[in-house]
Amino acid sequence: MEFTYDDQNIFAKILRGEIPNKTVYEDDHALAFEDISPQAPVHVLVIPKGPYVSLDHFAAEASAEEQTGFFRAVAEVCRIAGVEGGFRAIANTRDDGMQEVPHFHLHILGGRRMGPLVVQS
Ligand code: 5GP
């Protein structure tokens, strides 16, 4: 599959500092910030700094260093957010996954019981 990155997406603008965000954690490989429309007491988005549109794009084409760095950042976010009781990680992907923003992001949701995995529509 071929992946095309649009650098005008809202998370690219956040990474460039053109749009403000409530940063939870940042390092060389990742930025984590609060979701603007939280669906749980903890709702943090973790994004890689590289131009990847989706989880499968990141998994297929990001370097080992980028991938390790990203998931270390996820661990740091979980520690900072204090989700010892558990959490849910979601990567909505393309149309069927109802992805809105075409820059790979992992939702970290916690602070309450999450309910069923998939809500029927
Ligand atoms: P998706 O459906 O692509 O997985 O989720 C995109 C998420 O980004 C949504 O939960 C939405 O609330 C969040 N979001 C959209 N625009 C902004 C923004 O400008 N700032 C922040 N912090 N979150 C945003």
Side-chain angles (χ1 to χ4, degrees), residues 11 33-37 45 92 98-101 105 107:
F11 293 171
F33 52 95
E34 291 178 14
D35 196 291
I36 204 167
S37 178
L45 302 171
N92 296 323
M98 299 191 71
Q99 180 178 5
E100 290 172 26
V101 181
H105 50 282
H107 296 255

Side-chain angles (χ1 to χ4, degrees), residues 38-44 81-83 85-90 107-120:
Q39 304 299 308
V42 173
H43 189 170
V44 179
V83 287
F87 62 93
R88 181 167 289 160
I90 299 174
H107 296 255
I108 303 292
L109 296 142
R112 66 165 170 81
R113 288 186 70 78
M114 284 301 132
L117 178 58
V118 177
V119 176
Q120 302 300 325

Side-chain angles (χ1 to χ4, degrees), residues 38-108:
Q39 304 299 308
V42 173
H43 189 170
V44 179
L45 302 171
V46 191
I47 69 175
K49 290 199 167 174
Y52 301 100
V53 298
S54 58
L55 171 62
D56 51 348
H57 185 199
F58 184 73
E61 297 186 12
S63 68
E65 188 182 356
E66 288 176 297
Q67 295 197 25
T68 302
F70 177 78
F71 283 105
R72 288 277 192 269
V74 170
E76 197 60 22
V77 167
C78 291
R79 188 189 66 73
I80 292 165
V83 287
E84 290 87 356
F87 62 93
R88 181 167 289 160
I90 299 174
N92 296 323
T93 303
R94 291 190 289 285
D95 286 355
D96 283 355
M98 299 191 71
Q99 180 178 5
E100 290 172 26
V101 181
H103 181 113
F104 169 45
H105 50 282
L106 205 58
H107 296 255
I108 303 292

